[in-house]
Amino acid sequence: MNWDLSALYENETLLEADLKDAASRAKSLESVCKGKLKELHVNEFLESIREYESINEKLGRIMTYAFLKFATNSDNGGFYAKYQQAHSNIAENLLFFELEFNKLSKPKQEELIASAPMYTYYLESLVEEKPYQLSQKEERILLKKDMTSASAFSRLFDEHFSRLKFSYEGQKLSEEEILSKLQDSDREVRQKAASAFTKGLKPHQPLLAYIFNMIKTDLASDCELRGYKNAEQPRHMDNKITQKSVDALIKSAESSFSLVQEYYVQKAKLLGLDELYEYDRYAPLEASSASFDFETSKAIVLDAFAKFNPKFHEIASMAFEKGWIDVFPKDKKRGGAFSHPATPSTHPYVLLNHTDTRRDLFTLAHELGHAIHQYLSRGVGYLGSDTPLTTSETASVFAEMLIFDAIKDNLSASEKRSLYASKIEDIFSTLYRQINFTTFERKVHAHEGELDLETFNQYWMQESQKMFGKSITLSKDYALWWSYIPHFIHSPFYCYAYSYGQLLVLALYGLYKKSDKALFVQNYTAFLSAGGSQSPKELIKKFGFDIEDEGFWQLGIGEIESILAEFKGMCDA
């Protein structure tokens, strides 16, 4: 099952026509409004910002098409680069808008914000970014250099990994295929797969380290030029949360690493092993012949969504029926999974690499959760639908919880215990592992100068060991495994958003189970529909939670403790 990109463009002639139109309209907007925002009447400003949004949405549509072509075939790198360059050229004509708005007097800004209620939060966020904006001339230089700086190394990483093959038992496997073997019930298979993965990564370590160093250096330069306090600050600003909130999250997670260690000690006993290695983390507790092929996974997800909210079922059904999803691994296709929001005038696109495991079932639910969130937020427009990472992970992780509850009661005792183990491991992966990633990044970005391979490996092992303690033995091979994590390259300090979303969802799901379900579904749907038109703090306040309160995170930790206690009860039975 492949994407149908016709919702974006039927052909490249139409793509080129839109590119030409966007370029013409951007020049016209600049000609009419540049240097004149302070003179605009409120109605004229409203007309201008609507045109600004419309042009940006058209550019978003163009770039979505180009990116999706590249994501499924790395040979389309040149095609993608062509439109990146064209986008950069057109964006030059739009640079003035946000910069000039931030030069207006405070009374004028307040007058214009009051006149454009649909854009209130977007404009207020612009004002907060003012201290870190440069002159238009400087911003133009950075825009011009973007394609040959961090984004160029990001593209190199993607193209390189899409072509990598790992030798296993006479086969050449993709990253997705080799990693899926770490969930095999046969320990020898897991060990061989881990060894093959490490062996496949090792020759590419110098290149991958160089790419990471360039990402680090580019971010440091950007922070110095803009006056950010540290490498994390721009991400926190994008996520619309404070350093205090992130530090509280990390502190809460690290102080409960004992839950991870307690679980893996129990798992070693259940597997009958004296010692667990990194390749044993995802070993199933019982050998199972259960295969979650795509049609089976689809049926489970649709049924669970229908029971929660018919609207979710309706949107997910459209995704399956109208070509929103590219399902299976193939040569030169990007690994992993994502849901691309595209634009409000089209629909999201979901990339999967389905290999028929239970984890793939949850990945399908996760990405469709994103797609539902993205589709629901179309009503707040292109500028308002850009959801911060901190809340964008909510719908995806919540969808996984729906699937967990949907399948757990129809299983035998041993299968249920295995499912709980898998769910706990998913929570650990989404919460604690991402905190490890974040503290690893902190060490990398705080390091003076470039890092050599030994230092990358050392930092990785130090942070990983903090999570696992003595419950898992990390071999020398594992020291290399930082090098395949794409978020370090594409989006520095992205990973804590997963942790944030996981704890938030656990708190919300606990509320859902204990409260008026109809009212919760109503509030939750409204929360998703708001997209990025309100701050995470305001959105979450609707449920009675304060994300600035350190105690808030303990609600999620408490839910993990409850799930772990249920699991241990099954083990003792």
Side-chain angles (χ1 to χ4, degrees), residues 8-274:
L8 294 164
Y9 293 102
E10 291 279 359
N11 53 58
E12 289 176 23
T13 300
L14 295 175
L15 175 71
E16 285 293 325
D18 259 8
L19 185 68
K20 185 176 180 181
D21 180 65
S24 173
R25 288 168 62 188
K27 288 178 182 176
S28 177
L29 183 68
E30 182 182 40
S31 173
V32 171
C33 295
K34 186 177 178 181
K36 302 170 187 175
L37 285 190
K38 62 183 178 182
E39 301 167 7
L40 294 184
H41 184 271
V42 290
N43 290 335
E44 293 172 319
F45 175 76
L46 188 57
E47 185 179 335
S48 297
I49 195 172
R50 284 173 177 162
E51 176 65 359
Y52 175 77
E53 178 180 44
S54 178
I55 297 168
N56 274 290
E57 179 170 358
K58 181 160 285 192
L59 289 173
R61 190 179 189 131
I62 292 166
M63 291 311 300
T64 297
Y65 183 86
F67 170 71
L68 295 181
K69 294 268 284 187
F70 172 59
T72 48
N73 185 347
S74 59
D75 285 347
N76 287 323
F79 178 83
Y80 183 37
K82 170 188 172 181
Y83 288 97
Q84 281 183 307
Q85 183 62 63
H87 175 277
S88 178
N89 292 340
I90 296 170
E92 283 187 56
N93 299 117
L94 301 174
L95 266 177
F96 79 93
F97 192 89
E98 294 185 351
L99 296 171
E100 195 169 316
F101 182 84
N102 272 343
K103 290 180 180 178
L104 299 176
S105 66
K106 189 173 181 181
K108 183 65 175 178
Q109 284 179 335
E110 290 174 347
E111 178 191 18
L112 296 179
I113 290 173
S115 73
M118 188 172 180
Y119 303 101
T120 297
Y121 184 62
Y122 164 72
L123 293 171
E124 288 174 345
S125 297
L126 278 188
V127 175
E128 290 180 8
E129 293 169 10
K130 181 178 180 179
Y132 310 104
Q133 288 178 330
L134 305 176
S135 69
Q136 183 165 341
K137 184 176 181 180
E138 291 168 319
E139 292 286 0
R140 180 178 179 273
I141 293 170
L142 290 179
L143 184 64
K144 278 287 191 186
K145 294 288 287 180
D146 181 62
M147 279 190 64
T148 53
S149 54
S151 65
F153 289 102
S154 179
R155 175 186 162 191
L156 173 61
F157 181 91
D158 278 353
E159 289 192 11
H160 191 69
F161 258 95
S162 72
R163 295 187 178 100
L164 269 188
K165 296 296 179 184
F166 299 87
S167 298
Y168 177 85
E169 301 285 275
Q171 298 175 284
K172 294 290 186 181
L173 302 183
S174 69
E175 175 191 342
E176 293 292 329
E177 291 167 329
I178 193 73
L179 290 177
S180 71
K181 291 190 178 296
L182 297 179
Q183 301 164 49
D184 198 279
S185 58
D186 186 332
R187 195 182 200 199
E188 186 178 353
V189 170
R190 298 195 302 272
Q191 189 173 9
K192 285 182 177 178
S195 178
F197 188 58
T198 303
K199 188 176 180 180
L201 284 176
K202 195 166 187 176
H204 306 278
Q205 290 283 290
L207 172 63
L208 297 173
Y210 180 73
I211 291 172
F212 202 161
N213 272 313
M214 292 303 99
I215 294 294
K216 168 184 177 292
T217 303
D218 185 73
L219 179 57
S221 298
D222 201 48
C223 288
E224 180 184 351
L225 289 169
R226 295 185 181 281
Y228 290 118
K229 296 176 183 176
N230 55 51
E232 294 177 51
Q233 190 182 1
R235 177 64 62 199
H236 303 335
M237 291 196 69
D238 282 347
N239 286 341
K240 312 302 180 189
I241 57 172
T242 63
Q243 181 78 47
K244 178 183 176 183
S245 178
V246 176
D247 289 343
L249 165 66
I250 291 174
K251 181 179 178 183
S252 294
E254 291 193 324
S255 66
S256 60
F257 277 161
S258 58
L259 296 177
V260 178
Q261 296 159 23
E262 181 183 345
Y263 168 76
Y264 281 113
V265 168
Q266 180 73 55
K267 182 168 186 176
K269 292 177 183 177
L270 292 170
L271 291 173
L273 299 173
D274 294 329

Side-chain angles (χ1 to χ4, degrees), residues 176-413:
E176 293 292 329
E177 291 167 329
I178 193 73
L179 290 177
S180 71
K181 291 190 178 296
L182 297 179
Q183 301 164 49
D184 198 279
S185 58
D186 186 332
R187 195 182 200 199
E188 186 178 353
V189 170
R190 298 195 302 272
Q191 189 173 9
K192 285 182 177 178
S195 178
F197 188 58
T198 303
K199 188 176 180 180
L201 284 176
K202 195 166 187 176
H204 306 278
Q205 290 283 290
L207 172 63
L208 297 173
Y210 180 73
I211 291 172
F212 202 161
N213 272 313
M214 292 303 99
I215 294 294
K216 168 184 177 292
T217 303
D218 185 73
L219 179 57
S221 298
D222 201 48
C223 288
E224 180 184 351
L225 289 169
R226 295 185 181 281
Y228 290 118
K229 296 176 183 176
N230 55 51
E232 294 177 51
Q233 190 182 1
R235 177 64 62 199
H236 303 335
M237 291 196 69
D238 282 347
N239 286 341
K240 312 302 180 189
I241 57 172
T242 63
Q243 181 78 47
K244 178 183 176 183
S245 178
V246 176
D247 289 343
L249 165 66
I250 291 174
K251 181 179 178 183
S252 294
E254 291 193 324
S255 66
S256 60
F257 277 161
S258 58
L259 296 177
V260 178
Q261 296 159 23
E262 181 183 345
Y263 168 76
Y264 281 113
V265 168
Q266 180 73 55
K267 182 168 186 176
K269 292 177 183 177
L270 292 170
L271 291 173
L273 299 173
D274 294 329
E275 190 174 13
L276 285 185
Y277 285 86
E278 70 271 5
Y279 51 78
D280 295 317
R281 285 176 301 156
Y282 301 122
L285 291 184
E286 284 87 20
S288 174
S289 59
S291 174
F292 290 86
D293 62 54
F294 185 66
E295 289 302 317
T296 300
S297 299
K298 171 183 171 181
I300 292 170
V301 169
L302 284 176
D303 184 58
F305 285 177
K307 289 174 180 174
F308 177 73
N309 183 352
K311 185 68 177 175
F312 283 31
H313 177 273
E314 177 189 336
I315 296 170
S317 295
M318 286 194 291
F320 290 119
E321 294 163 8
K322 298 189 177 180
W324 297 15
I325 311 175
D326 196 283
V327 179
F328 300 109
K330 52 181 176 267
D331 191 35
K332 298 177 184 176
K333 178 179 175 179
R334 175 174 169 163
F338 63 72
S339 178
H340 193 297
T343 65
S345 59
T346 55
H347 58 70
Y349 281 88
V350 173
L351 180 138
L352 304 172
N353 278 279
H354 198 90
T355 55
D356 296 351
T357 68
R358 183 165 60 196
R359 189 174 295 274
D360 290 316
L361 163 65
F362 284 97
T363 298
L364 174 62
H366 182 103
E367 300 306 340
L368 283 177
H370 276 310
I372 288 167
H373 191 180
Q374 292 157 352
Y375 192 80
L376 285 172
S377 67
R378 296 184 311 155
V380 294
Y382 186 73
L383 296 179
S385 63
D386 185 15
T387 309
L389 297 174
T390 38
T391 48
S392 70
E393 289 302 329
T394 307
S396 53
V397 180
F398 195 94
E400 290 188 57
M401 291 300 296
L402 290 174
I403 301 307
F404 174 70
D405 268 357
I407 65 176
K408 70 178 184 180
D409 293 329
N410 297 319
L411 303 173
S412 66

